[in-house]
């Protein structure tokens, strides 16, 4: 008991002699600066440091907070945990859980000045038109109900005949002679006339393309029965809305052609297996073996021969030229909507659409040129009416399709017989629902990441409880952020990508925890070293092992030898210690984790240590947390809800994690020191491990200390010039790759990848869609001459907030905002619309405007007829010009009659009313006044690349603005038409992808710039040194450039996920650089130096200015001879000498930085790297890409922070106050005194007296 008491008192005595800039009396013989002698007007390095200093690190607040944490650590920890748990439960119980079934919510840009918002407004206009037309149809049906009932039998008969025309073929010609006779009569007639065609091929031209050869097909009644399924249309077309697609390829790599007899028989067998598996015997299915059998009039594909394959190829090649004209495709797509070819309907090129279905859906695009196909598809249509199972559930839903995929197709080789195998799948478009299901499975990788973090923490800190507490803080941070997200902000949309924040947060949290614990053990090491240097006895938790006892004795013996050498140096000025650098290295290597960890400290020492932790670790954690969160918050600049919400939620997670670090984690540090550490050592938990484990741990510990305290500093200092040049060149190369060539560019495809490309669903999306003509032509039709809609009368304001996409209406219950200024009944307004359409027709930017203007003229004819019913033969009326009524009242009258005519017309209000209309009129639902007008034209462009879209949209926007500007100039100051139509706008469904990419590019670069600016400001305010800030920003730029450059070379394109990753890179790359920078600024570089033969400039100036003769003589003895005239040196020599004098300080600061945070930074990068590694095996592209990004950004960040940033500082880092921005002086209110105050003078007098004694 007496020993413990004595040791405690000695520790208390030691603590009273130490301060912030502690140096060891036994080594230096320099009196220590007492905290109460520090004057308040000491220059503060920055505003941010002032905040930290005033709130945390100033003696009053820092000590009070440290005292509170030490004394009430349990209360602090339990209270914080309880609050976080309560907030998380409240968010879960009071709000609905996130729904990931539709990941496309928030995937598109919305808001002001976005084209996608215009598309939403256009959709609302369409819905309103459909609603009014549906009401008109109901009214029309009620008016003719009686007539319908009277003629119901005849109408039923007619309907049956009409349906038969649609669903079955015409009677076959009796002979070739009949066909030739008809051909002579109708050879100049149009072979196939479609309402959308302006030109058509004649029967004579079709016959010539068929080389004037006749090939009429005949099929048996058995095949006809197979084609006419019950309750189905005839199997001559494919309904793309209800199908299973199974794609096959050859299993033999050397022979890829499937048009061989062995492969076709293999496919025929698998066709029957799939029909049984899908239970689709009563619906249509289309396969290549079956189609070849039909062309040979065979009912079973197992009966195929080699001659059947040759006959099939010859028939397809006969139709090749005709297919290239587009006639086969046009007739095939419109089989049930337009009247099919009458003259050639039994020709093999048109019969039952067999040729169309084969070329578009069953063989790949290379068939017509090679007579071979590498891939083939099998199509199976699900029933039009749902089928119930025995337990009452529906079949052929997305759920059952997914179960089929998992059970029979996913990694199942049963469909690989050595001849053919499954290449890709598309089941009822379940790719997106399957990805959402995979999210739940891949959350297992979060557990894997936590396990890896626990393992690394146990190895590094040798503590399981610290690892568990780190992960608990991650979970609680997530819960608090979810509460703020759902309850405080009230945001409903929760993108699935937010789940990835858990992986990122694990790495960031570990980084902060390692820095805090390293600072704690560094403070504890100072007390340990101080006790040895003052020859005080150290008390430990538990009993020391033999190895620990030997290590402790060696430390004490070496310390005694150091003290003896320094005493000799004091007495003999000519004596120079021979191993001063070795002594310093020994004091660094003396950081034996076992001895430091198990050293016993009292509450007063814990308070002192906690002050040091807050002083050294708080600034780093503060800067890294706020710069990282700010980088995520800059995602809010984007107009894409996914990007905005991920940045918002991730920023909230980081801020809450920072609060937990400075509250709960520091409290846990005290609890761990008071309870866990003594308990662990008394029980000897780590002593019970095998001796091999103990040796490995000891070896790793010593190796770590040797690397970060000796070898890395030596390499950085000796190779600093080479390292700077190498990494500078690499950074420049990264910038060239990202911004010049090959350059980060928008994606060429409109598809979004969910799974890895080897997944069957992604192989369909990214490979098969580019192999089969049906999808190729569909994509081509969508991007060639797409529709453009001009809208007048409705504002382009989307009233639905992007964060709440499920809300149907706004607060005012309005779905659209009408432009009340526009008057469609004004003759001058109609006249401008007429001139605008004429101008569109003359412009090279548009095509098919004549169709729109033709309908516009038809409207004019109707208006003229309603106002002048008896005006036939009126010579004054020009039918080639739009009729404009003379007065507004006449226009109102004619328009009302026009709307009544539309309501009563079956052609307008029928089911196919909207197919070919290129004009739209939207009346008010209540007043029936015209509120909106729409024009539809086609754009003269093919949107095959983003650059093309961007250039065309720029021309289009300029054209529309120019027309409005011309109207404004022509009307003069008194014009009113311009004020009515200036709010008009245009949009196209094909602008969706362009708008997404435009917002991705704009948001990426804007957010990147703002996050870099914020990081610059925070670094400047925190470090208070412009040199450190510039070096850090340069390092961050190179880190981002090299990371993104590697992904560009790897083939990444700028999409939504890449946008998030690039913006994230700013926040994640700043951490390690900031840790080193803050440690460099706060480095105690004077430690372990002998100051006994030096006299400070301040002491000299003080006593020389005071005129004390004794002091002056003493100073002259220790000062250089002032009477000697120094030799004048060149400017370069003076700069070189100044640089050489500063190297000692730079090198010591570099070394101190690595000692304090080097190992913590490395382990933090390792934990984040492992968190990314745990995501890499995910089958979801978003998870795996984020994992690869985390691994790469951590690796590159550590490389640049350690091997570029530190060499920069060692070469030309700031010393003393160089580069400091005196924010304290700038914001000081009083006049700055030029002379030292009384306290400073007193301290300088004491220092001089000590030097005089020497």
């Amino acid at each position: 008991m007496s020993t413990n008491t004595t040791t405690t008192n000695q520790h208390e005595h030691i603590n009273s002699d130490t301060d912030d800039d502690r140096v060891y009396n036994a080594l230096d013989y320099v009196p220590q600066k007492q905290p109460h002698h520090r004057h308040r007007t000491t220059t503060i390095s920055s505003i941010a440091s002032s905040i930290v200093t005033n709130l945390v690190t100033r003696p009053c607040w820092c000590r009070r907070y440290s005292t509170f944490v030490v004394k009430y650590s349990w209360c602090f920890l339990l209270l914080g945990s309880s609050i976080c748990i309560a907030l998380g439960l409240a968010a879960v119980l009071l709000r609905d859980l996130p729904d990931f079934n539709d990941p496309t919510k928030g995937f598109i840009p919305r808001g002001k000045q976005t084209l996608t918002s215009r598309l939403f407004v256009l959709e609302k206009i369409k819905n309103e038109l459909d609603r009014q037309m549906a009401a008109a149809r109901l009214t029309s049906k009620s008016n003719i109900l009686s007539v319908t009932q009277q003629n119901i039998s005849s109408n039923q008969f007619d309907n049956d005949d009409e349906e038969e025309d649609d669903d079955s073929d015409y009677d076959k010609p009796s002979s070739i002679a009949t066909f030739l006779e008809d051909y002579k009569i109708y050879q100049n007639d149009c072979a196939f006339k479609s309402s959308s065609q302006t030109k058509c091929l004649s029967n004579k031209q079709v016959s010539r393309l068929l080389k004037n050869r006749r090939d009429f097909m005949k099929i048996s009644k058995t095949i006809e029965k197979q084609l006419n399924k019950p309750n189905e249309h005839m199997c001559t077309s494919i309904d793309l809305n209800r199908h299973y697609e199974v794609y096959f390829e050859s299993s033999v790599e050397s022979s890829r052609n499937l048009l061989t007899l062995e492969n076709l028989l293999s496919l025929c067998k698998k066709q029957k297996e799939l029909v049984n598996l899908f239970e689709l015997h009563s619906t249509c299915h289309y396969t290549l073996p079956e189609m070849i059998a039909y062309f040979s009039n065979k009912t079973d594909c197992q009966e195929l021969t080699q001659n059947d394959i040759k006959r099939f190829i010859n028939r397809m090649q006969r139709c090749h030229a005709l297919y290239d004209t587009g006639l086969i495709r046009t007739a095939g797509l419109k089989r049930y909507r337009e009247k099919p070819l009458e003259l050639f309907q039994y020709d093999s090129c048109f019969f039952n659409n067999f040729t169309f279905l084969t070329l578009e859906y069953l063989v790949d695009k290379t068939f017509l040129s090679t007579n071979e196909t590498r891939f083939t598809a099998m199509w199976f249509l699900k029933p039009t009416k749902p089928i119930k199972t025995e337990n009452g559930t529906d079949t052929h839903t997305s759920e059952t399709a997914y179960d089929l995929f998992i059970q029979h197709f996913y990694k199942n080789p049963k469909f690989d017989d050595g001849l053919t195998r499954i290449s890709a799948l598309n089941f009822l478009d379940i790719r997106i629902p399957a990805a959402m299901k995979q999210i739940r499975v891949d959350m297992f990788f979060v557990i894997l990441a936590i396990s890896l973090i626990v393992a690394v923490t146990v190895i590094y800190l040798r503590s399981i409880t610290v690892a568990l507490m780190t992960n608990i803080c991650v979970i609680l941070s997530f819960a608090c952020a979810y509460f703020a997200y759902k309850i405080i902000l009230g945001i409903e949309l929760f993108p699935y990508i937010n789940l990835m924040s858990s992986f990122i947060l694990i790495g960031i949290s570990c980084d902060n925890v390692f820095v805090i614990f390293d600072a704690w053990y560094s403070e504890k090491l100072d007390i340990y070293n101080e006790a040895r240097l003052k020859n005080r006895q150290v008390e430990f938790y538990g009993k020391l092992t033999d190895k620990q006892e030997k290590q402790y004795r060696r430390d004490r013996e070496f310390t005694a030898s150091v003290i003896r050498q320094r005493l000799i140096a004091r007495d003999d000025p000519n004596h120079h210690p021979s191993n001063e650098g070795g002594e310093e290295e020994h004091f660094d290597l003396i950081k034996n984790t076992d001895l430091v960890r198990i050293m016993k400290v009292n509450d007063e020492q814990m308070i002192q240590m906690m002050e040091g932790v807050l002083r050294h670790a708080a600034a780093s954690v503060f800067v890294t947390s706020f710069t990282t969160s700010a980088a995520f918050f800059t995602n809010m600049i984007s107009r894409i809800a996914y990007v905005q919400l991920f940045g918002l939620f991730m920023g909230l997670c980081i801020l809450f994690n920072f609060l937990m670090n400075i509250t709960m984690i520091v409290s846990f540090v005290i609890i761990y020191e008071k309870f866990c550490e003594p308990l662990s050592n008394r029980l000897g938990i780590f002593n019970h491990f095998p001796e091999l484990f103990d040796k490995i741990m000891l070896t790793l510990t010593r190796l770590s200390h040797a690397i970060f305290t000796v070898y890395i500093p030596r390499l950085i200092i000796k190779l600093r010039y080479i390292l700077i040049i190498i990494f500078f060149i690499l950074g420049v190369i990264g910038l060239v790759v990202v911004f010049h060539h090959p350059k980060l560019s928008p994606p060429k495809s409109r598809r979004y990848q969910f799974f890895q490309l080897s997944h069957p669903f992604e192989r369909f999306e990214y490979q098969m869609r580019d192999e089969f003509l049906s999808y190729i032509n569909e994509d081509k039709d969508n991007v060639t001459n797409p529709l453009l809609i001009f809208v007048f009368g409705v504002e382009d304001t989307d009233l639905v907030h992007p964060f709440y996409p499920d809300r149907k209406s706004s607060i005012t219950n309005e779905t659209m905002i009408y432009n009340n200024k526009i008057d469609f009944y004004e003759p001058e307004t109609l006249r401008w619309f007429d001139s605008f359409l004429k101008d569109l027709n003359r412009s090279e930017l548009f095509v098919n405007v004549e169709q729109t203007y033709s309908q516009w003229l038809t409207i004019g004819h109707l208006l003229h007829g309603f106002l002048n019913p008896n005006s036939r033969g009126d010579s004054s009326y020009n039918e080639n010009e739009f009729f404009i009524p003379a007065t507004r009242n006449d226009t109102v009258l004619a328009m009302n009659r026009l709307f009544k005519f539309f309501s009563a017309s079956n052609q307008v209000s029928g089911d196919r009313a909207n197919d070919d209309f290129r004009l739209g009129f939207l009346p008010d639902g209540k007043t029936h006044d015209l509120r909106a007008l729409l024009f539809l034209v086609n754009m003269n462009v093919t949107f095959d690349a983003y650059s093309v879209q961007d250039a065309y949209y720029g021309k289009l926007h300029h054209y529309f603005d120019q027309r409005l500007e011309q109207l404004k100039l022509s009307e003069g100051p008194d014009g009113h038409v311009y004020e009515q139509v200036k709010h008009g706008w245009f949009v196209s469904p094909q602008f969706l992808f362009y708008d997404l990419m435009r917002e991705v590019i704009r948001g990426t670069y804007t957010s990147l710039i703002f996050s870099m600016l914020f990081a610059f400001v925070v670094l400047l305010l925190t470090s208070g040194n412009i040199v450190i800030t510039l070096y850090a920003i340069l390092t961050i730029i190179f880190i981002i450039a090299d990371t993104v450059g590697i992904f560009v070379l790897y083939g990444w394109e700028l999409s939504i996920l890449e946008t998030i990753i690039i913006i994230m890179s700013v926040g994640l790359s700043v951490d390690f650089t900031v840790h080193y920078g803050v440690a460099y600024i706060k480095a105690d570089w004077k430690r372990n130096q002998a100051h006994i033969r030096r006299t400070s400039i301040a002491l000299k100036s003080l006593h020389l200015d005071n005129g004390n003769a004794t002091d002056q003589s003493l100073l002259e003895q220790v000062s250089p001879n002032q009477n000697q005239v120094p030799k004048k040196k060149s400017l370069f020599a003076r700069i070189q000498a100044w640089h050489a004098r500063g190297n000692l300080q730079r090198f010591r600061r570099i070394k101190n930085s690595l000692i304090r945070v080097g190992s913590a930074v490395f382990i933090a990068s390792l934990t984040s790297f492992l968190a990314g590694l745990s995501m890499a095996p995910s089958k979801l592209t978003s998870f795996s890409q984020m994992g690869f990004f985390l691994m790469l950004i951590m690796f590159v960040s550590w490389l640049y922070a350690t091997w570029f940033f530190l060499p920069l500082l060692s070469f030309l880092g700031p010393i003393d106050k160089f580069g400091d921005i005196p924010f304290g002086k700038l914001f000081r209110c009083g006049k700055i005194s030029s002379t030292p105050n009384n306290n400073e003078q007193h301290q300088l007098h004491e220092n001089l007296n000590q030097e005089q004694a020497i």
Side-chain angles (χ1 to χ4, degrees), residues 25 54 56 236 381 406 424 439 543 629 641 794 796 878 888 938 964 984 1027 1033 1051 1111 1180 1194:
N25 296 341
N54 291 327
V56 180
T236 54
L381 270 62
I406 295 297
I439 288 177
K543 184 179 179 180
S629 61
V794 178
D796 60 342
N878 186 0
R888 185 181 185 280
N938 292 91
L964 294 178
V1027 178
I1033 291 298
D1111 293 342
L1180 292 177
M1194 289 299 108

Side-chain angles (χ1 to χ4, degrees), residues 164-406:
E164 183 179 356
D165 289 340
D166 285 339
D167 295 340
S168 58
D169 290 324
Y170 296 94
D171 294 334
K172 298 180 182 179
S174 57
S175 63
I176 296 294
T178 306
F179 167 79
L180 294 176
E181 183 180 349
D182 292 339
Y183 175 74
K184 291 180 181 179
I185 300 174
Y186 302 109
Q187 62 178 338
N188 294 322
D189 288 359
C190 187
F192 179 78
K193 193 173 275 188
S194 172
S195 58
S196 61
Q197 284 182 306
T198 56
K199 297 180 181 179
C200 66
L201 293 174
S202 65
N203 290 324
K204 184 177 181 179
Q205 291 174 319
V206 171
S207 180
R208 188 178 302 164
L209 289 171
L210 294 176
K211 300 178 182 179
N212 295 321
R213 291 187 301 172
R214 314 300 169 208
D215 183 17
F216 294 112
M217 281 188 64
K218 295 181 180 181
I219 57 176
S220 64
K221 293 184 178 180
T222 305
I223 297 178
E224 287 186 351
K225 186 177 180 181
Q226 292 178 355
L227 295 176
N228 289 274
K229 302 289 185 181
N231 301 320
E232 292 282 337
H233 285 292
M234 188 175 179
C235 297
T236 54
S237 66
I238 295 180
D239 187 353
L240 297 181
N241 294 322
R242 52 184 189 96
H243 59 274
Y244 297 86
E245 296 174 55
V246 184
Y247 292 83
F248 286 89
E249 63 181 356
S250 175
S251 300
V252 182
E253 298 293 335
S254 59
S255 177
R256 308 297 296 172
N257 183 26
L258 292 177
L259 284 175
T260 63
L261 186 59
E262 295 82 3
N263 289 337
L264 289 175
L265 293 177
S266 172
L267 293 173
C268 180
K269 179 181 177 181
K270 292 173 182 178
Q271 166 198 329
K272 297 178 180 179
E273 293 177 0
L274 290 172
V275 170
N276 294 328
L277 180 63
F278 294 139
E279 298 180 356
L280 294 174
H281 302 85
S282 61
T283 60
C284 297
H285 53 269
Y286 310 87
T287 67
L288 182 60
E290 190 174 56
M291 194 63 69
I292 296 175
Y294 288 164
F295 274 104
S296 298
N297 199 16
K298 293 182 178 181
T299 58
D300 190 355
C301 56
Q302 291 291 343
E303 301 173 0
L304 289 177
T305 63
Q306 194 65 38
N307 291 331
D308 296 331
I309 300 175
K310 293 181 180 179
R311 185 182 298 108
F312 165 78
I313 293 175
N314 292 334
R315 280 182 159 174
M316 291 298 104
Q317 290 299 335
R318 174 177 171 270
C319 306
H320 187 175
L322 191 60
Y323 178 82
D324 290 341
T325 65
L327 179 61
I328 293 179
R329 173 175 170 78
T330 303
L333 290 175
K334 297 180 177 295
R335 182 172 183 81
Y336 294 116
R337 304 184 63 186
E338 307 285 350
K339 190 174 181 180
L341 294 93
E342 295 186 5
L343 196 60
F344 296 93
Q345 61 178 317
Y346 295 104
D347 189 274
S348 60
C349 293
F350 298 99
F351 183 72
N352 283 344
N353 270 355
F354 286 165
T355 300
F356 165 70
L357 294 174
T358 301
L359 295 178
E360 293 263 336
Y361 297 97
L362 302 184
V363 296
D364 63 26
K365 62 184 179 182
T366 63
F367 170 75
L368 289 177
S369 58
T370 63
N371 290 335
E372 296 180 354
T373 180
R374 297 167 299 164
F375 306 99
T376 186
M378 293 186 183
W379 294 70
F380 305 89
L381 270 62
K382 73 172 186 177
T384 54
K385 297 180 180 179
I387 299 177
K388 300 287 185 179
T389 60
E390 295 179 357
N391 55 6
T393 59
D394 292 338
T395 60
H396 303 296
T397 62
S398 60
E399 293 289 336
T400 59
Y402 180 79
D403 294 338
L404 278 174
F405 166 71
I406 295 297

